[in-house]
Amino acid sequence: MRVGLNGNIYMAPKGTAAPTDLDTAWAAAWLDLGYMSEDGVSLEFSTDVQDINAWQSLSPVRRVLTSVDMTLGFTAIELKTRTVTLYFPGATMTDVSGTVHKLDIPAAPGPQEFAFGLEWTDGSIKNRLILPRGEVTERGAITVGRSDAVGLEMTVSAYASSAPEIATWLSNDPAWSAA
């Protein structure tokens, strides 16, 4: 049994090379998104199929895979340029003065694809999940209140790249080699 005791989410420009092992540090282009809520990150993977039915059978005679969907859900609680502009696509942050900053949020933002990396540890067990192409496709409400951190709830959808993989998961968990 494993838990995600600690971890980080990284983003980089689409096309940025990701580490291919568990020891190589993330390159400078991979920006750490900072603190996440204590809920951590949710990883969802789903498939859809189309049933092929025949007049002669009450059950499908074949099922065809029609789609694959992978998402990462998280709530960033560190409000910094890279998380705020990820939440508001196409937004730009500028310095108005040394202590005042301005976020311009576009009325009609275009698509914004990035590469994403998720790393988490459980003692000496380390995992890395790399999405070569992804985009924030869902956003939760921003709640400003007295007792909780302001959070930017986001869901990143993985897109297929030129490779046949939608993502790559690296792990040194010895249980992976067990039958």
Side-chain angles (χ1 to χ4, degrees), residues 22 24 28 51 68 93 95 99 104 116-117 130 146 150 163 172 178:
L22 296 170
T24 302
D51 288 344
V68 172
M93 183 81 72
D95 255 346
T99 59
D104 287 318
F116 289 90
I130 294 112
R146 179 190 323 234
V150 175
N172 66 352

Side-chain angles (χ1 to χ4, degrees), residues 22-93:
L22 296 170
D23 298 319
T24 302
W26 295 87
W30 288 90
L31 303 176
D32 185 348
L33 295 183
Y35 284 116
M36 298 293 143
S37 72
E38 66 182 347
D39 295 331
V41 178
S42 64
L43 167 62
E44 293 188 33
F45 182 81
S46 63
T47 58
D48 288 324
V49 295
Q50 174 67 45
D51 288 344
I52 307 295
N53 296 307
W55 178 36
Q56 295 85 355
S57 176
L58 293 177
S59 63
V61 293
R62 184 171 177 193
R63 288 202 162 127
V64 178
L65 181 66
T66 58
S67 71
V68 172
D69 189 36
M70 177 180 264
T71 61
L72 296 178
F74 56 88
T75 301
I77 60 172
E78 191 170 341
L79 303 181
K80 52 188 176 181
T81 300
R82 66 185 74 135
T83 56
V84 174
T85 55
L86 184 61
Y87 184 87
F88 294 105
T92 54
M93 183 81 72

Side-chain angles (χ1 to χ4, degrees), residues 106-163:
Q112 277 196 306
E113 290 186 20
F114 297 97
F116 289 90
L118 168 62
E119 180 174 294
W120 71 98
T121 59
D122 180 3
S124 63
I125 305 300
K126 185 185 253 186
N127 290 275
R128 285 182 171 170
L129 181 74
I130 294 112
L131 307 178
R133 285 181 64 211
E135 182 175 17
V136 175
T137 54
E138 294 180 36
R139 293 159 181 83
I142 299 173
T143 303
V144 180
R146 179 190 323 234
S147 61
D148 288 325
V150 175
L152 304 173
E153 182 183 346
M154 296 178 253
T155 299
V156 172
S157 293
Y159 299 148
S161 62
S162 59

Side-chain angles (χ1 to χ4, degrees), residues 156-176:
V156 172
S157 293
Y159 299 148
S161 62
S162 59
E165 295 83 17
I166 195 168
T168 299
W169 186 343
L170 304 169
S171 180
N172 66 352
D173 191 334
W176 280 33

